[in-house]
């Protein structure tokens, strides 16, 4: 009916029309019903209720009339209450409610048009059928009836479940659960996991429902909440305090809540996780909790959680923190016996959980659907599982499941058992032999290998070789397997071992069996020994030599050698030589014979080795030199066409005083060279070889060869002496080095010589830079003359021999050459003659130029006492002992007094210069006790004669000419090198002022430019304050001598100037020509005194 | 020099006392190191209160109870017999539940267990030498180990070792007293 859309549309329009009528009705009586409300639980019937005043009228009843939607007939019911149960109608329904009094009289009538929109759909209140708890997993399980039978068709239902805890009923969770009602009652279940142990506090649950009827247009509302249900208590509720959860296993990184339950009268002091205390969360009056975040892996005994209670009590639990099992890695399944398949694997990451909590493995085979529980040896960390091999099943599909309390993992492997055969190690391995070349082997392999063939590998090794022999054989069940090995060497010790695998589908070798040793039986020697013979010089006896056979040739232990002598197939002599002798002598008695040597062991005799005793005569046997090959000696020879049966090279190695051991080597007839090697050869030792040619009638010595395996430098220096010495040559003579000291073929000598004294620091000629060396390659030469030497000179000589291997040591000698007498005479006579000639020539010249020499070097010097140029006024210096001045006389004084003084007065006037008392006062000043030390130095201008002899024309009459010349000048004046020699002489040899004056300070009006130049170069420089000096002595000699061509400044009567005549430290090392000038000055000064 | 020669029984008594003392001291030394490794392996603190753990013989003497020599030795013997059983339990708990892979640790417990057994045997000998009867074996404790939580196992093991260490001290003291009284018969014995 509800499905008809046109009908529903019509009903909706009608409903809207009537709705206005409902609310527009007037209610004039108080008993009139009003506020009609209808709800339905099942969409079939609805419960309508209304309001009506009934206080004044007791015994009121209500008559409800409505139109039956099926029959469109009016149905009326009477009720005493203000509610009625009427069917739900489609669309709108007219409901007329009449209020009747006790007598049945109608008091008021009200008609309602009830539409579907005004009906509420409220499901029946659900009832919880069962509420249970799993305390180990903190999970609540809830069951209830969905009452689906209330509705006859499918409907969507939603359920709301509320979890509450503590006495205060705090909501922990409000969960929704959707279901479908199927028209009949169904039991629904739902679970919820708590984050804290359920034991920690009380939990409560209630539920309500909501029906989602899509075509119901009325209000759809949640049902009432079900009655609250309490989570049942744990069966084993502890009497005493406890910590929860007990012995739980959690994943690494989890957040875990622990609670401590305690009894009345107790309180909790603190609660620890491990060694750390955590803040307490109070759950209720008898329970507190701690919350631990991100727990880390625990030790094998777990992590302790404990709470300390007051007044007295300690409770705790253990938490195991670990990992879920890792996926089994490298799963490998193979059979060793075809009885079981053994699977092994690597467990991967450790879970940190042990024993009851450790990972358990189950091997499941999908084809046979069988599974086996695997053993895990935690101590040895072995993980393997044996699965039985089924008859007629080749393919196995294994799944290995790993599980522990925290999770599970699995790994799979599909195998063909025939292709995964890994045999057990062969056991009971035996080796036996009854011959010299064969051996029998036997071993046992457990298992049933009837269906496959086996491949076994036998390893045969001895000290020299190792080989492996593969043997394929049919498989058997728990059987011995046999093999036979041949081609073994007689009397050889072998080591055998064996391993096996499947032949067709190789998977893996078994382990090697234990090793077994076996020595094969002896056999006769494989060949005769190598033999040689040597005749005695006389030829009466013949010594036969043989070499011991190699182990591989002897085939056993050689007991003796039988030596026989045959002549024309008739054995003349035979005797047996026991080991270890390897030679014997045979007396020939003048007859030659054919020698035969046979080696014997326990198994028999070797084939004979034969050699003739006959020696062919040799003539002109040459000795050749062999070439050292480093590891042997290279020998070559010319091919001899007559040699038909090969060459034999024989040598003898002596060791100490014992007779030498004869050794030899044979070569075919076409051989022409060979490298002879022997462990006995030593470097630097000379070996002699003899080459024999085997001809049809005997052996002939063809050639002697001498050589070294390796040439070394000579061991010693050649012994040499100086035979003769002259002034320019030395004759040196030396001796041969003994052969045993040469260590090689001598190639020559090197003679070194150089100047050198005995006892010089240089120890060898390699240090000598100016050595000369001479290479003497002519070995026949035993002396050498060294020429072109210097006479009476010590020479150092050294002589060294050398070979291809290098240069030997040196022997040094010191020789002094003889004196060259002729040269000495010449060296004396020539200088003497030259000196005589020079003396004569000089004497002649001097005689001819004697006047000029006198004028130049020895002029007449006027007496200075006659000059009035230098005079000091007596009254100036008198009474002032501190003032020390130079008395300047018209003559040139021959000495200058230099004294120390404390006076700073520097004043000299022109008039004072000409003081006549200078001579007499100087000694007084000089002897003044207050002046301290004083020095009187000679002073004499060198060219004073010239100055006097040619005075300037414009010089004022009566003025004296005074020239100051350098006296131990304090500095070298700056002299123009292009100046005239006289000026140079004056400036260099004359008096030198002690400092340069500033030009401005020294400039006088009367100075000419040339004088200024001279001032710059050679002028006197007072060392005190020049300004003061200038001011204090305006009439100083400078002004007087302004026109002096010599350009020297006159010094005032200044103690300073005299003091500075002593050069300061810096000028003590002044150029030597100053001193030269000084000496010259002295020379000329002293001259008049002479 | 001693003033009088000792009788063979006295000498034997002295020797036995010395051996028991020596063994008790050895046990104490071994238990001390075992305790260190025990608390480390169980994650425990040595200062933890063990008052709640019962069933372990306590070495502390009851006040006012003056025991005779025979009673002292008998108490020692009973204690070590109990420790023998308790150490066996501790060892089994460690092997099965707590430290399954730590074989060295198990060997240490086993070594102490054997020494305790030897000590109990020597005390029996001493009692016999002094002419006292051996006390009968006491029945095992009523507690079911299977119902013990792991934490209780740990605490119990710790208490066993601690009390064993205390008992060895007491034994040394008791044995020294016994040794000072050669040839004495127990009071009332």
């Amino acid at each position: 009916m509800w499905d008809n859309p046109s009908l529903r549309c019509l009903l909706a329009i009608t409903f809207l029309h009537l709705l206005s009528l409902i609310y527009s009705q007037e209610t004039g009586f108080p008993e009139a019903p009003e506020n009609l409300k209808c709800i339905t639980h099942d969409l079939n019937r609805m419960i309508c209720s209304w309001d009506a005043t009934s206080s004044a009228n007791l015994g009121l009843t209500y008559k409800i009339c409505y139109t039956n939607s099926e029959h469109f007939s009016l149905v009326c019911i009477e009720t005493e209450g203000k509610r009625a149960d009427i069917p739900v109608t489609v669309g709108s329904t007219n409901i007329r409610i009449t209020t009747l009094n006790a007598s049945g009289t109608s008091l008021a009538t009200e008609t309602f048009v009830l539409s579907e929109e005004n009906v509420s759909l409220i499901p029946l209140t659900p009832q919880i059928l069962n509420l249970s708890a799993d305390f180990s997993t903190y999970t609540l399980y809830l069951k209830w009836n969905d009452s689906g039978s209330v509705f006859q068709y499918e409907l969507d239902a939603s359920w709301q479940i509320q979890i509450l805890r503590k006495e205060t009923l705090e909501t922990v969770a409000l969960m929704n659960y959707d279901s479908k009602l199927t028209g009949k009652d169904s039991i629904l279940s739902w679970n919820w996991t708590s984050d804290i142990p359920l034991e920690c506090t009380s939990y409560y649950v209630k539920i309500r429902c909501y029906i989602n009827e899509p075509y119901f247009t009325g209000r759809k509302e949640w049902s009432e909440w079900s009655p609250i249900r309490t989570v049942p208590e744990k069966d084993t509720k502890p009497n005493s305090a406890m910590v929860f959860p007990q012995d739980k296993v959690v994943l690494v990184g989890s957040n875990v809540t622990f609670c401590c339950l305690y009894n009345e009268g107790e309180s909790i002091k603190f609660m620890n996780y491990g060694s750390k205390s955590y803040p307490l969360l109070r759950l209720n009056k008898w329970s507190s909790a701690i919350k631990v975040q991100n727990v880390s892996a625990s030790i094998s005994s777990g992590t302790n959680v404990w709470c300390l209670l007051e007044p007295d009590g300690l409770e705790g639990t253990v938490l195991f923190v670990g990992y879920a099992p890792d996926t089994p890695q490298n799963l490998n399944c193979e059979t060793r016996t075809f009885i079981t398949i053994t699977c092994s694997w690597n467990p991967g990451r450790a879970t940190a959980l042990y024993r009851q909590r450790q990972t358990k493995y189950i091997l499941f085979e999908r084809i046979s659907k069988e599974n086996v529980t695997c053993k895990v040896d935690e101590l040895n960390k072995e993980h393997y599982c044996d699965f039985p091999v089924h008859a007629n099943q080749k393919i196995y599909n294994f799944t290995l499941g790993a599980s522990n309390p925290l999770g599970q993992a699995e790994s799979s492997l599909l195998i063909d058992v025939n292709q995964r055969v890994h045999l057990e190690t062969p056991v009971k391995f035996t080796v036996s032999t009854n011959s010299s070349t064969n051996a029998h082997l036997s071993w046992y392999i457990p298992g049933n290998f009837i269906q496959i063939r086996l491949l076994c590998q036998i390893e045969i090794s001895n000290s020299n070789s190792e080989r492996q022999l593969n043997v394929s054989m049919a498989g058997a069940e728990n059987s011995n397997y046999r093999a036979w090995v041949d081609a073994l060497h007689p009397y050889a010790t072998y080591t055998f071992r064996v391993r096996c695998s499947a032949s067709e589908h190789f998977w893996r070798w078994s382990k090697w069996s234990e090793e077994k040793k076996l020595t094969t039986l002896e056999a006769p020697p494989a060949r005769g020994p190598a033999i040689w013979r040597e005749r005695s010089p006389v030829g009466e006896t013949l010594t036969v030599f043989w070499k011991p056979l190699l182990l591989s040739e002897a085939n056993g232990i050689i007991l003796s050698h039988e030596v026989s002598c045959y002549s024309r197939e008739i054995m003349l002599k035979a005797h047996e030589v026991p080991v270890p002798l390897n030679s014997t002598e045979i007396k020939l008695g003048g007859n030659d014979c054919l020698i035969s040597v046979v080696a014997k062991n326990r198994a028999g005799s070797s084939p004979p080795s034969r050699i003739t005793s006959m020696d062919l005569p040799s003539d002109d046997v040459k000795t050749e030199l062999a070439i050292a090959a480093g590891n042997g000696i290279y020998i070559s020879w010319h091919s001899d066409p007559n040699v038909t049966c090969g060459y034999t090279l024989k040598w003898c190695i002596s060791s100490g005083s014992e007779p030498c051991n004869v050794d030899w080597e044979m070569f075919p007839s076409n051989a022409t060279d060979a490298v002879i090697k022997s462990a006995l050869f030593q470097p630097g030792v000379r070996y002699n070889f003899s080459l024999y040619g085997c001809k049809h009638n005997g052996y002939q010595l063809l050639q002697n060869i001498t050589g070294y395996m390796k040439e070394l430098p000579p061991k010693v220096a050649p012994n040499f002496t100086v035979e003769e010495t002259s002034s320019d040559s030395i004759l040196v003579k030396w001796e041969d080095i003994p052969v045993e000291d040469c260590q090689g073929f001598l190639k020559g000598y090197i003679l070194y010589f150089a100047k050198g004294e005995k006892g010089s620091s240089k120890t060898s000629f390699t240090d000598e830079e100016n050595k000369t060396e001479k290479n003497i390659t002519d070995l026949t030469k035993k002396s050498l003359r060294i020429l072109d030497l210097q006479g009476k000179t010590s020479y150092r000589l050294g002589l060294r021999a050398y070979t291809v291997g290098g240069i030997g040591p040196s022997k040094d000698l010191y020789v002094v050459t003889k004196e060259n007498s002729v040269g000495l005479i010449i060296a004396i006579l020539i200088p003497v003659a030259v000196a005589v000639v020079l003396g004569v020539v000089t004497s002649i010249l001097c005689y001819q130029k004697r006047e000029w020499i006198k004028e130049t070097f020895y002029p007449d010097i006027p007496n200075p006492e006659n000059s009035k140029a230098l005079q000091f006024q007596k009254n100036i210096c008198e009474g002032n002992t501190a003032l020390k001045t130079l008395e300047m006389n018209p003559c040139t004084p021959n000495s200058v007094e230099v004294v120390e003084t404390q006076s700073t007065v520097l004043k000299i006037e022109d008039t004072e210069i000409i003081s006549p008392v200078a001579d007499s006062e100087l000694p007084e000043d000089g002897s003044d006790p207050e002046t301290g030390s004083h020095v009187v130095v000679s002073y004499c201008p060198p060219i004073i004669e010239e100055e006097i002899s040619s005075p300037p024309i414009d010089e004022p009459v009566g003025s004296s000419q005074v020239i100051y010349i350098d006296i131990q000048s304090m500095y070298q004046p700056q002299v123009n090198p292009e100046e005239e020699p006289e000026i140079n002489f004056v400036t260099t040899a004359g008096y030198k002022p002690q400092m340069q004056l500033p030009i401005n300070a020294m400039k006088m009006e009367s100075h000419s430019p040339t004088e200024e130049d001279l001032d710059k170069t050679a002028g006197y420089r007072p060392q005190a304050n020049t300004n003061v000096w200038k001011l204090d002595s305006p009439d100083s000699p400078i002004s007087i001598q302004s026109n002096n061509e010599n350009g020297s400044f006159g010094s005032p009567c200044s103690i300073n100037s005299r003091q500075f005549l002593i050069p300061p430290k810096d000028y003590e090392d002044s150029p030597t020509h100053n001193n030269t000038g000084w000496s010259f000055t002295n020379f000329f000064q002293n001259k008049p005194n002479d | 020099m001693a003033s009088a020669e000792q009788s063979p029984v006295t000498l034997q008594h002295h020797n036995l006392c010395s051996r028991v003392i020596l063994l008790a001291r050895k046990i104490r030394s071994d238990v001390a190191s075992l305790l260190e490794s025990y608390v480390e392996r169980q994650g425990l603190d040595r200062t933890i209160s063990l008052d709640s753990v019962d069933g372990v013989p306590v070495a502390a003497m009851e006040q006012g109870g003056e025991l005779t020599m025979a009673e002292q030795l008998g108490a020692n013997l009973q204690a070590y017999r109990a420790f023998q059983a308790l150490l066996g339990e501790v060892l089994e708990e460690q092997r099965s539940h707590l430290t399954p892979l730590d074989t060295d640790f198990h060997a240490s417990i086993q070594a102490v267990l054997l020494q305790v057994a030897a000590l109990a045997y020597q005390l029996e000998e001493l009692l016999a030498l002094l002419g006292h009867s051996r006390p009968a074996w006491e029945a095992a404790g009523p507690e079911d180990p299977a119902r013990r939580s792991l934490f209780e196992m740990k605490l119990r093991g710790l208490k066993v070792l601690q009390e064993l260490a205390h008992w060895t001290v007491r034994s040394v003291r008791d044995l020294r007293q016994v040794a000072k009284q050669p040839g004495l018969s127990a009071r009332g014995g």
Side-chain angles (χ1 to χ4, degrees), chain A residues 236 246-247 274-275 299-306 308 312-318 320 354-357 378-379, chain B residues 40-45 48-52 95-103 147-152 154-155:
Chain A
T236 55
Q246 282 282 311
D247 306 338
S275 57
I299 56 175
S300 67
S301 66
T303 306
N304 302 320
V305 186
W306 48 284
L308 189 67
D312 180 28
L314 173 76
E315 292 301 329
T317 184
V318 175
F320 294 92
Y354 306 95
R355 285 292 148 100
Q356 296 87 346
R357 299 162 291 277
E378 286 178 314
L379 282 176
Chain B
E40 181 195 337
R41 282 166 170 80
Q42 311 307 319
L44 290 172
D45 184 349
I48 203 163
S49 169
L50 298 171
D51 296 341
S52 59
R95 278 178 176 156
S96 304
H97 302 287
L98 295 169
T99 55
L101 305 183
D102 203 342
T103 52
R147 293 182 64 85
R148 235 177 258 141
S149 74
L150 294 173
F151 188 71
E152 285 170 340
K154 289 182 174 184
L155 292 187

Side-chain angles (χ1 to χ4, degrees), chain A residues 222-240:
Chain A
W222 281 99
S223 73
E224 294 289 321
W225 283 105
S226 71
I228 200 161
R229 285 286 295 264
T230 307
V231 173
E233 291 180 349
K234 201 174 180 181
D235 296 339
T236 55
K237 184 171 175 67
N239 297 324
S240 60

Side-chain angles (χ1 to χ4, degrees), chain A residues 906-908 964 970-971 991-999 1001-1004 1015 1018-1033 1036-1038 1048-1061:
Chain A
L906 302 169
K907 188 173 181 181
I908 298 175
Y964 290 87
M970 293 187 66
Y971 64 94
Y991 173 74
K992 297 293 186 296
Q994 290 157 332
M995 68 177 284
Q996 289 283 358
L997 285 172
I999 298 303
M1002 299 299 296
K1003 197 171 181 179
M1004 303 296 173
D1015 291 345
Y1020 170 71
R1021 300 295 185 267
Q1023 293 157 329
N1025 189 335
T1026 51
N1027 294 329
V1028 175
W1029 178 73
K1030 189 177 104 178
L1031 290 170
D1032 288 349
S1033 55
S1036 66
I1038 296 169
S1048 296
F1049 287 97
S1051 175
C1053 180
S1054 166
I1055 192 65
N1056 289 341
S1057 68
R1058 284 185 291 167
Q1059 282 175 325
F1060 287 122
L1061 290 174

Side-chain angles (χ1 to χ4, degrees), chain B residues 18 48 59 64-65 113 126 139 144 149-150 159 171 173 181-183:
Chain B
S18 301
I48 203 163
L113 173 58
L126 189 59
D144 180 11
S149 74
L150 294 173
K159 177 130 184 179
S171 297
R173 189 193 62 198
Q181 299 172 318

Side-chain angles (χ1 to χ4, degrees), chain A residues 20-305:
Chain A
S20 59
L21 292 176
I22 289 172
Y23 295 102
S24 64
Q25 282 178 344
E26 295 180 359
T27 55
F29 302 99
E31 293 82 6
E34 55 182 10
N35 297 336
L36 179 68
K37 291 178 183 173
C38 295
I39 61 167
T40 178
H41 295 307
D42 54 6
L43 297 174
N44 185 27
R45 299 194 67 80
M46 57 186 178
I47 297 164
C48 294
S49 60
W50 57 90
D51 297 333
T53 305
S54 59
S55 59
N57 295 295
L58 295 171
L60 295 181
T61 56
Y62 300 94
K63 184 181 179 183
I64 300 104
C65 296
Y66 59 92
T67 305
N68 188 320
S69 59
E70 290 181 3
H71 308 290
F72 297 100
S73 60
L74 190 66
V75 177
C76 292
I77 57 170
E78 285 193 16
T79 176
E80 291 180 352
K82 290 181 228 174
R83 54 184 290 164
D85 184 357
I86 61 173
V88 175
T89 56
V90 179
S92 61
T93 306
N94 286 338
I95 299 175
R96 191 178 70 210
I97 302 173
T98 305
T99 307
L100 303 172
N101 60 13
S103 58
T105 309
S106 170
L107 297 178
T109 299
E110 199 69 46
T111 301
F112 299 93
V113 178
L114 182 65
S115 64
E116 196 176 275
E117 285 83 353
N118 296 111
V119 179
S120 296
L121 172 60
I122 301 174
L124 290 169
T125 304
Q127 298 295 316
I128 295 171
L129 292 180
N130 186 26
L131 176 64
S132 59
D134 182 347
F135 290 91
S136 63
T137 59
Y138 313 169
T139 307
L140 293 177
Y141 295 95
L142 182 69
K143 286 183 179 175
W144 70 96
N145 190 337
D146 69 353
S147 301
S149 60
V150 172
F151 305 95
Q152 282 76 36
Y153 48 91
E154 281 193 356
L155 280 174
D156 291 330
S158 294
W159 308 88
Q160 205 165 49
I161 303 152
Q162 191 174 24
I163 313 290
L164 307 104
R165 72 179 167 200
K166 301 186 186 178
E167 294 92 335
T168 52
L169 296 179
E170 292 174 11
T171 300
V172 183
L174 183 63
M175 314 296 288
N176 288 320
Y177 178 82
D178 294 327
S179 71
K180 201 169 272 291
L181 303 181
T182 60
K184 45 186 182 179
D185 288 352
S186 298
I187 306 298
L188 300 178
S189 60
W190 175 85
N191 61 62
W192 172 79
T193 300
S194 171
D195 59 338
I196 64 173
L198 296 177
E199 297 96 333
C200 292
T201 187
S202 308
Y203 282 84
Y204 310 93
V205 181
K206 58 184 181 179
I207 186 170
R208 65 179 180 175
C209 177
Y210 177 87
I211 304 296
N212 185 19
E213 161 55 82
Y215 304 118
F216 179 70
T217 57
R219 289 195 301 278
K220 288 173 273 189
E221 297 179 19
W222 281 99
S223 73
E224 294 289 321
W225 283 105
S226 71
I228 200 161
R229 285 286 295 264
T230 307
V231 173
E233 291 180 349
K234 201 174 180 181
D235 296 339
T236 55
K237 184 171 175 67
N239 297 324
S240 60
M242 247 184 134
V243 176
F244 290 101
Q246 282 282 311
D247 306 338
K248 191 173 173 59
V249 184
V250 298
L251 269 172
V252 170
S254 303
N255 301 330
V256 189
T257 302
F258 302 91
C259 68
C260 183
L261 303 185
Y262 39 92
N263 297 318
E264 229 174 298
E266 289 179 330
S267 64
I268 188 166
K269 283 170 86 173
F270 60 82
M271 198 167 175
N272 272 22
Y273 175 81
S275 57
K276 189 180 174 188
S277 187
Y278 280 77
L280 290 166
L281 311 167
R282 187 174 171 82
L283 296 178
N284 54 42
K285 61 184 178 183
W286 43 265
S287 175
S288 291
I290 59 170
K291 197 162 191 175
V292 182
Q293 310 271 358
N294 191 20
V295 290
S296 53
S298 56
I299 56 175
S300 67
S301 66
T303 306
N304 302 320
V305 186

